[in-house]
Amino acid sequence: MLIQGSRLIDIPVISMDSNTLLSQTVNPIINPYSLEILAYEVIGNMIGIKPCFIDINDIIRINSDGFIIHSKESLISKDKNADIEKYYDLKFGLIGMKAIDQNNHKLGKIIDFTIESNSFIIQQINIKRPLIKSLGDTELLINRKQIIEITDKIIVVSSGEYRHESKLEKVKSSYVNPFRSTSTSSD
């Protein structure tokens, strides 16, 4: 199932053992090389260590109540997982990053992303268009396959202009409108 990344921020983390609220999510820890969410940083009164995280592998399920985990022991410090520590210290975040196409045209800023809830891999990014370009379309949805490069400040995506035009030409020459008949039934 696809879920907007923003829906998983500031949600409760509940222990299945004691059915108690342990914490709330703050932000995702993202591997920028694979666009995979590895963990969520969490905060709360029941947490003794800071910063504290939930490894994605310790989430039993996501429901309307929030993230369900086994117990408080599923909350870990960053030094318990080398990948979490590495990417937390990197401070990589998608929200607010600029997006350009491969021809260096500004597309806008990333305002959200969509993840696959089983794998926690980012599938799409949502880009808010600059004011002038937003007259035609206010947001762009970019599939992960269109991403060419990710730096600490910019995401470069395929413009797809050449391929798009050639596909369009093929479609125009072979397109038949099924709702508009060229012959009538009285012929």
Side-chain angles (χ1 to χ4, degrees):
M1 177 169 64
L2 296 176
I3 300 175
Q4 285 297 120
S6 59
R7 291 188 62 207
L8 300 178
I9 301 300
D10 199 31
I11 65 168
V13 177
I14 300 166
S15 167
M16 192 171 75
D17 288 11
S18 60
N19 199 26
T20 57
L21 173 66
L22 297 175
S23 59
Q24 286 187 283
T25 59
V26 178
N27 59 31
I29 308 306
I30 302 171
N31 176 338
Y33 304 105
S34 65
L35 287 181
E36 178 183 3
I37 296 175
L38 303 173
Y40 277 86
E41 183 178 6
V42 294
I43 58 169
N45 295 334
M46 306 251 334
I47 301 172
I49 50 175
K50 292 183 182 177
C52 189
F53 305 91
I54 303 169
D55 188 315
I56 294 307
N57 298 317
D58 291 329
I59 298 172
I60 298 169
R61 89 179 150 264
I62 305 169
N63 63 22
S64 59
D65 295 330
F67 285 154
I68 310 299
I69 62 175
H70 284 290
S71 66
K72 186 177 178 181
E73 284 73 39
S74 297
L75 301 175
I76 60 172
S77 63
K78 70 178 183 174
D79 61 344
K80 297 286 183 187
N81 183 309
D83 283 341
I84 291 173
E85 182 174 22
K86 175 181 174 181
Y87 296 116
Y88 176 76
D89 291 342
L90 192 59
K91 303 281 187 223
F92 176 79
L94 283 174
I95 306 303
M97 286 184 76
K98 293 179 183 175
I100 61 171
D101 70 11
Q102 66 195 46
N103 299 321
N104 209 27
H105 297 121
K106 184 178 180 181
L107 298 176
K109 286 191 177 184
I110 298 173
I111 57 170
D112 208 348
F113 52 85
T114 306
I115 64 166
E116 167 56 49
S117 63
N118 294 331
S119 64
F120 282 88
I121 293 176
I122 297 171
Q123 299 297 322
Q124 299 175 26
I125 55 174
N126 302 50
I127 299 173
K128 182 171 176 62
R129 303 285 280 158
L131 182 61
I132 294 174
K133 292 183 180 180
S134 70
L135 298 175
D137 39 321
T138 57
E139 280 187 33
L140 294 176
L141 263 179
I142 304 294
N143 187 290
R144 69 180 283 115
K145 293 177 183 173
Q146 294 173 270
I147 297 172
I148 297 171
E149 182 181 356
I150 300 174
T151 69
D152 55 345
K153 295 182 181 165
I154 295 175
I155 288 189
V156 181
V157 300
S158 171
S159 64
E161 291 174 359
Y162 179 76
R163 280 180 271 142
H164 177 70
E165 288 174 0
S166 65
K167 284 182 182 177
L168 187 60
E169 288 171 11
K170 284 184 180 179
V171 170
K172 283 182 181 177
S173 65
S174 64
Y175 178 71
V176 177
N177 185 342
F179 303 108
R180 185 176 190 170
S181 175
T182 55
S183 63
T184 60
S185 59
S186 61
D187 287 344

